[in-house]
């Protein structure tokens, strides 16, 4: 199975199996980070090399590479993914404008967008016009923080996001909702979607969850996932050897408990086997961490030399030489 954005999944009752990295002929030479800003909620790209993974350089002269004209016409929580052959790419983002007149978080969670903003490309540089894909039921209050897994065995994408649900009789969502939970659907084209379903719901533990991120560890069925506990505003880590739909074991405590963080973005180091990077958004900007003992959840702060300020909740993908060159040719470096 192919690993899109460093993770893979199978059907609901089967275990996920995957190589540590996608099958492709070219070696990886760098990292492409997708992000946004609170002041300018559009898609921004940053690029770094295998030798200096955290020294991200803004592309397109620091201007956004994509902007939304659908839904709220603002996007957050940017996620870039592709299929196994890298013949199609998708940018998926939360449809939310916190700068809109009269904006309130309560309104956004009760009657916010149930869709995600999506762009498609065949070469990573020429993009379609955005579409607004409605992926949630009418009982949902919102759809936030997407992430994607491509399953090459099934030739379809698994799409995850966070939401909360209201009683079917509460059509205006005025009452009390379920706690935030991680939901998912499947799609082959980001046009038609399977009915949404819960992936992780911890109502019985009184734990609201958002901002899920997966990371493959290089052996079949071995993964880490990161989740934000909204009760304490911290992220925690779980590990499995049984695939995405297997049993998960939580690491003790939280990652960086002293400061509130969200929007985890994890990726492996290209040059150093067994080393991983983790970006956490402290509500202002990303802070980088690293580990060579990921199963022990032993994260330490990274050297921030060359790491830009102001980066927000997004994701990082590894790019080949041809992808790196195409992005630099189109958007500069």
């Amino acid at each position: 199975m192919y690993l899109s954005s460093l993770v893979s999944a199978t059907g609901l009752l089967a275990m996920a199996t995957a190589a540590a990295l996608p099958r492709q002929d070219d070696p990886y030479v760098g990292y492409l980070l997708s992000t946004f800003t609170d002041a300018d909620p559009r898609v921004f790209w940053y690029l770094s090399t295998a030798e200096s993974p955290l020294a991200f350089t803004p592309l397109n002269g620091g201007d956004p590479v994509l902007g939304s004209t659908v839904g709220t016409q603002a996007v957050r929580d940017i996620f870039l993914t592709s299929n196994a052959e890298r013949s199609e790419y998708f940018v998926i983002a939360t449809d939310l404008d916190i700068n809109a007149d009269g904006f309130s978080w309560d309104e956004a969670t009760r009657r916010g967008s149930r869709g995600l903003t999506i762009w498609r490309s065949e070469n990573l540089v020429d993009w379609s016009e955005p579409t607004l894909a409605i992926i949630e039921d009418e009982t949902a209050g919102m759809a936030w923080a997407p992430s994607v897994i491509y399953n090459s065995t099934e030739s379809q994408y698994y799409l995850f996001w966070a939401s909360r649900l209201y009683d079917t009789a509460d059509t205006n969502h005025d009452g009390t909702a379920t706690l935030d939970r991680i939901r998912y659907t499947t799609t082959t084209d980001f046009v038609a979607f399977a009915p949404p379903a819960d992936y992780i719901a911890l109502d019985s533990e009184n734990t609201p969850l958002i901002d899920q991120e997966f990371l493959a560890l290089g052996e079949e069925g071995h993964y880490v996932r990161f989740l934000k506990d909204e009760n304490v505003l911290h992220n925690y880590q779980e590990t499995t050897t049984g695939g995405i739909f297997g049993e998960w074991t939580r690491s003790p405590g939280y990652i960086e408990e002293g400061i509130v963080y969200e929007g985890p973005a994890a990726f492996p180091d290209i040059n150093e086997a067994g080393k991983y990077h983790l970006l956490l958004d402290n509500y202002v900007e990303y802070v980088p961490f690293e580990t060579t003992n990921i199963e022990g959840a032993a994260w330490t702060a990274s050297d921030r030399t060359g790491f830009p300020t102001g980066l927000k909740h997004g994701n990082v993908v590894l790019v080949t030489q041809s992808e790196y060159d195409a992005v630099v040719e189109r958007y500069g470096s």
Side-chain angles (χ1 to χ4, degrees), residues 127-327:
W127 291 91
S128 69
E129 292 298 314
T131 60
L132 183 65
I134 305 301
I135 45 85
E136 258 298 5
D137 291 338
E138 292 184 358
T139 57
M142 78 291 188
W144 287 356
S147 62
V148 180
I149 299 166
Y150 183 73
N151 182 323
S152 62
T153 302
E154 300 172 353
S155 297
Q156 67 177 351
Y157 298 87
Y158 280 68
L159 171 61
F160 299 85
W161 66 92
S163 191
R164 63 182 60 171
L165 308 177
Y166 292 83
D167 189 276
T168 54
D170 184 10
T171 57
N172 198 41
H173 300 180
D174 293 320
T176 301
T178 64
L179 297 180
D180 296 328
R181 74 234 3 260
I182 305 302
R183 303 267 282 170
Y184 82 100
T185 184
T186 57
T187 181
T188 60
D189 54 12
F190 288 93
V191 175
F193 300 87
D198 285 352
Y199 177 60
I200 313 173
L202 300 182
D203 292 45
S204 62
E205 300 176 27
N206 194 35
T207 304
L209 298 174
I210 64 171
D211 293 0
Q212 177 186 246
E213 170 84 350
F214 290 111
L215 178 67
L217 299 183
E219 296 184 45
E220 183 175 308
H222 290 218
Y223 301 92
V224 165
R225 71 182 176 195
F226 305 92
L227 293 152
K228 182 191 177 189
D229 180 341
E230 283 283 80
N231 281 332
V232 295
L233 306 180
H234 295 325
N235 297 264
Y236 66 86
Q237 173 181 318
E238 295 183 326
T239 306
T240 185
T241 59
I244 296 301
F245 293 97
E247 295 294 324
W248 292 84
T249 300
R250 177 170 172 172
S251 300
Y254 296 91
I255 302 170
E256 292 300 303
E257 296 186 34
I259 302 175
V260 295
Y261 284 111
E262 62 183 4
F267 55 100
D269 193 282
I270 294 171
N271 286 344
E272 185 176 341
K275 181 177 182 178
Y276 297 90
H277 301 275
L278 175 66
L279 308 182
L280 295 177
D281 186 338
N282 65 4
Y283 292 24
V284 175
E285 62 184 1
Y286 263 139
V287 177
F289 299 87
E290 62 188 59
T291 186
T292 55
N293 179 20
I294 191 169
E295 294 193 16
W299 294 98
T300 58
S302 300
D303 180 354
R304 298 186 65 171
T305 302
F307 188 73
T309 60
L311 303 180
K312 296 287 293 177
H313 185 164
N315 83 315
V316 177
V317 299
L318 280 59
V319 290
T320 64
Q321 188 69 64
S322 59
E323 292 170 328
Y324 188 101
D325 291 345
V327 167

